[in-house]
């Protein structure tokens, strides 16, 4: 896939959940566009693999910062921020991409445990990282991009924690855009993907990647665009929103990058 490149030379981009999927594609696109990137996730092998890919595509072969950690743990989040600033001296772009889902019926005996885990991953970590990155983003007049989901717009049976977390993320995005723009000159936006060929369903539904791809391909075939999303589709949208030159007038936007999922009421 040919990706539109923006010039992020000299910028520092921190992308959570960047050891695979959308986060990995986003890290690689920023690296290819000249940025210093922070690759982070729980899987050390995945982090190392993506970091090498970023170096390979970087015009100046810049080496990413690799941080293995869990964004549901506040100490890990703080270490991620501290290490980034110690290494690169600043933060220009925060991409809150890490997320998870679980099948969770309200009648399940462990519903509240699933609910807490999903909220901690999909919402609380985003709030915490945005809060803690604020001083650095204010200095660079940076921007934040949150990765939401069409589930923020549509109810899923046995998916209420996931839907709630993403709907809350959309509202957090708007609130932060309104709050951080006037005083700190920080833009805050979100992207709402449709189904994308990643591993999220593998972990959420306890199925194989082959089964996940078959399921998402079937859904994507119903899209007006005729296919499911690829991680690079969302990475391109992230780069667009992160570019002050291309999207400097956009803040508080929840950008649909869903192949027509919502428009066609899939």
């Amino acid at each position: 896939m040919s990706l539109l490149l923006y010039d992020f030379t000299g910028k520092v981009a921190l992308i959570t959940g960047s050891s695979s999927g959308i986060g990995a594609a986003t890290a690689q696109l920023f690296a290819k566009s000249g940025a210093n990137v922070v690759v982070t996730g729980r899987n050390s092998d995945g982090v190392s693999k993506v970091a090498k890919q970023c170096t390979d595509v970087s015009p100046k072969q810049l080496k990413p910062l690799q941080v293995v950690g869990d964004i549901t743990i506040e100490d890990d989040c703080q270490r991620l921020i501290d290490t980034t600033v110690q290494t690169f001296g600043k933060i220009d772009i925060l991409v809150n991409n890490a997320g998870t889902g679980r099948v969770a019926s309200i009648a399940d005996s462990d519903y509240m445990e699933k609910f807490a885990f999903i909220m901690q991953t999909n919402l609380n970590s985003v709030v915490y990282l945005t809060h803690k990155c604020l001083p650095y983003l204010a200095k660079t007049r940076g921007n934040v991009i949150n990765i939401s989901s069409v589930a923020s717009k549509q109810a899923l049976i046995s998916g209420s924690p996931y839907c709630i977390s993403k709907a809350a993320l959309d509202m957090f995005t708007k609130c932060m855009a309104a709050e951080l723009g006037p005083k700190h000159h920080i833009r805050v936006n979100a992207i709402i993907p449709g189904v994308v060929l990643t591993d999220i369903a593998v972990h959420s539904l306890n199925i194989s990647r082959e089964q996940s791809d078959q399921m998402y391909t079937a859904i994507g075939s119903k899209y007006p665009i005729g296919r499911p999303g690829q991680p690079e589709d969302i990475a391109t949208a992230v780069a667009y929103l992160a570019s002050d030159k291309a999207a400097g007038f956009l803040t508080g936007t929840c950008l649909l990058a869903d192949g027509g999922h919502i428009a066609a009421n899939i």
Side-chain angles (χ1 to χ4, degrees), residues 12-232:
V12 176
L14 192 170
I15 306 107
T16 67
S18 45
S19 60
S20 66
I22 292 170
T26 300
Q28 290 171 50
L29 182 53
F30 274 122
K32 194 172 184 178
S33 302
N36 284 297
V37 299
V38 182
V39 180
T40 183
R42 293 180 297 179
N43 185 306
S44 59
D45 290 341
V47 169
S48 297
K49 178 181 177 182
V50 173
K52 183 181 183 306
Q53 292 169 338
C54 288
T55 301
D56 290 345
V57 299
S58 171
K60 296 182 179 179
Q61 278 68 60
L62 299 175
K63 291 186 178 180
L65 171 63
Q66 302 179 46
V67 181
V68 177
D70 186 339
I71 49 91
T72 67
I73 301 171
E74 288 189 358
D75 285 349
D76 281 12
C77 289
Q78 189 63 60
R79 177 169 55 85
L80 172 62
I81 296 167
D82 291 344
T83 308
T84 299
V85 175
Q86 288 165 9
T87 302
F88 296 125
K90 62 174 184 171
I91 300 172
D92 295 281
I93 302 159
L94 172 63
V95 183
N96 289 306
N97 164 74
T100 191
R102 293 288 186 275
V103 176
S105 167
I106 192 68
D108 291 346
S109 60
D110 60 350
Y111 178 84
M112 293 310 301
E113 287 82 0
K114 292 175 180 175
F115 183 90
F117 175 70
I118 291 171
M119 295 298 284
Q120 184 66 37
T121 306
N122 295 357
L123 181 64
N124 295 6
S125 67
V126 175
V127 175
Y128 185 84
L129 284 169
T130 304
H131 169 60
K132 291 294 185 177
C133 285
L134 175 57
Y136 307 107
L137 292 169
K139 287 181 181 178
T140 58
R141 296 193 172 193
N143 66 84
V144 180
I145 298 104
N146 299 320
I147 305 302
S148 182
S149 167
V150 288
S152 71
K153 306 291 185 185
Q154 293 179 325
L156 296 176
I157 295 174
S158 296
S160 57
Y162 186 74
C163 294
I164 292 166
S165 71
K166 294 300 186 178
L169 181 61
D170 289 356
M171 182 52 70
F172 178 71
T173 299
K174 295 175 185 178
C175 289
M176 289 302 99
E179 183 173 336
L180 300 181
K183 183 176 180 180
H184 299 290
H185 309 285
I186 297 170
R187 295 187 298 112
V188 185
N189 293 290
I191 294 172
I192 300 178
V195 295
V196 179
L197 298 177
T198 70
D199 285 336
I200 188 168
V202 175
H203 306 299
S204 303
L205 303 177
N206 195 28
I207 59 177
S208 69
R209 178 61 190 260
E210 182 181 6
Q211 290 172 315
S212 172
D213 285 355
Q214 289 175 349
M215 178 179 69
Y216 281 164
T217 298
I219 296 171
S221 69
K222 300 177 183 178
Y223 284 0
I225 209 73
R227 63 172 176 85
Q230 295 286 347
E232 292 78 11

Side-chain angles (χ1 to χ4, degrees), residues 1-9 25-35 37 54 56-60 232-233 235-247:
M1 181 182 291
S2 177
L3 299 178
L4 179 62
L5 296 181
Y6 298 96
D7 185 5
F8 291 111
T9 302
T26 300
Q28 290 171 50
L29 182 53
F30 274 122
K32 194 172 184 178
S33 302
V37 299
C54 288
D56 290 345
V57 299
S58 171
K60 296 182 179 179
E232 292 78 11
D233 292 315
T236 300
V238 172
Y240 165 66
L241 288 177
S243 170
D244 290 327
K245 186 173 182 179

